[in-house]
Amino acid sequence: MPLILAFMIDPPTGSSIAATAFLMGDPARANMLAALMGGVALTAGELAAHAGVTPQTASGHLARLQDGGLLAVERQGRHRYFRLASPQIAEALEGLMALSSASGPSRVRGPRDAAMRLARSCYDHLAGRLGVAIADALQRQGFIHIDDGIGIVSDEGRRFLSDFGIDVDTFGAGKRPLCRTCLDWSERRAHLAGRLGAAILDRSIALGWLVRVPASRTLRISHAGERGFAGTFRCEPVWAAATLAASGSPARITAASGNEFRDPADARPAAPASA
């Protein structure tokens, strides 16, 4: 008989996974965690409203999330503000959202709001169609190589990022990886997380390419951002395709040679096939 080897985790690790899953599995607590995925810190009252529970009930949930290491609290005077304890928790939640939205072909994957599906924050890094398009563009040009979920920045990538305003050599060592992938909630493909993912989002906001929508994870792409992402990153103009789809026109963009898209200002819908 063939020898069958089964992979098993030790009981303490299994118990830890089960305990964390239990904390995330309650609908009220899951809504609280989801409300914090934009990287903001919220009060207990605000989180109670997101969860649809009373302040007293919310207090018990928040205490359990703190004890479980999922939330951190910051005090300012008489007020307490809650935030996710680490970026890894946001990445785990994003992956769970992607898995939970796969339970039927008729269900919309990810958020129903088109703008949020296009570009949003996943804690401190960029997600949505734009986040995936940037990850694809950096890999296609050899700036980043993905190996088992870890992003390795090439020498050409370091020069490119330096020109963009990100000096990865100054990041130094840290517990958080320089670059890693995160499963995108709506796209079911990887976008970039880690310190590099956060730096790309911060730099894009500083340049005015992305603008945060108040009280939302949604990020609005400015006209400067459309030109910048297409010209600098040479990524697919997903914003143009989304605009055409919303207007009812064919969501096809004519591509330049080498699978590199033109600047969105020059993009035109593909001509319809002749009858």
Side-chain angles (χ1 to χ4, degrees):
M1 295 180 61
L3 179 63
I4 300 176
L5 298 178
F7 174 76
M8 298 181 63
I9 58 176
D10 59 278
T13 301
S15 298
S16 178
I17 293 173
T20 302
F22 175 78
L23 287 173
M24 292 183 170
D26 180 87
R29 293 196 288 269
N31 283 327
M32 289 178 175
L33 293 170
L36 296 170
M37 284 185 63
V40 297
L42 300 176
T43 65
E46 291 169 329
L47 289 170
H50 279 287
V53 297
T54 65
Q56 293 78 8
T57 301
S59 178
H61 285 310
L62 291 170
R64 299 187 74 166
L65 291 170
Q66 277 187 269
D67 292 341
L70 300 183
L71 289 186
V73 63
E74 299 175 356
R75 300 178 185 274
Q76 290 190 5
R78 298 172 56 185
H79 300 286
R80 294 195 307 164
Y81 294 88
F82 297 87
R83 59 174 176 80
L84 296 182
S86 71
Q88 287 74 23
I89 295 170
E91 293 165 16
L93 288 167
E94 184 90 357
L96 287 173
M97 287 177 173
L99 292 174
S100 64
S101 62
S103 58
S106 62
R107 295 190 61 181
V108 176
R109 299 186 308 186
R112 295 184 179 275
D113 179 61
M116 191 175 182
R117 292 168 65 85
L118 176 61
R120 64 182 179 274
S121 59
C122 176
Y123 193 67
D124 62 354
H125 58 269
L126 180 59
R129 295 182 67 192
L130 178 61
V132 171
I134 288 176
D136 287 346
L138 292 175
Q139 292 179 77
R140 186 177 65 244
Q141 297 172 87
F143 296 154
I144 291 178
H145 303 285
I146 303 298
D147 183 11
D148 196 23
I150 300 297
I152 301 172
V153 182
S154 66
D155 291 340
E156 293 83 358
R158 290 175 182 271
R159 288 191 289 270
F160 167 80
L161 291 168
S162 178
D163 291 340
F164 180 58
I166 298 174
D167 187 355
V168 297
D169 293 326
T170 64
F171 284 3
K175 293 183 179 180
R176 190 180 185 191
L178 169 64
C179 181
R180 57 164 293 172
T181 59
C182 179
L183 180 62
D184 195 89
W185 174 20
S186 55
E187 298 305 300
R188 310 287 179 81
R189 297 178 56 223
H191 58 246
L192 299 180
R195 287 176 288 166
L196 178 58
I200 290 174
L201 175 57
D202 289 344
R203 182 59 176 161
S204 298
I205 291 175
L207 291 172
W209 292 9
L210 292 174
V211 180
R212 294 187 184 274
V213 175
S216 173
R217 291 171 57 196
T218 302
L219 297 164
R220 182 174 61 81
I221 308 172
S222 67
H223 292 305
E226 293 178 0
R227 294 189 296 271
F229 290 125
T232 301
F233 282 85
R234 304 193 68 79
C235 70
E236 178 183 353
V238 290
W239 53 87
T243 301
L244 288 169
S247 66
S249 302
R252 296 177 58 198
I253 301 295
T254 302
S257 60
N259 199 31
E260 295 173 345
F261 286 78
R262 297 192 182 102
D263 187 284
D266 298 327
R268 297 292 183 269
S274 58

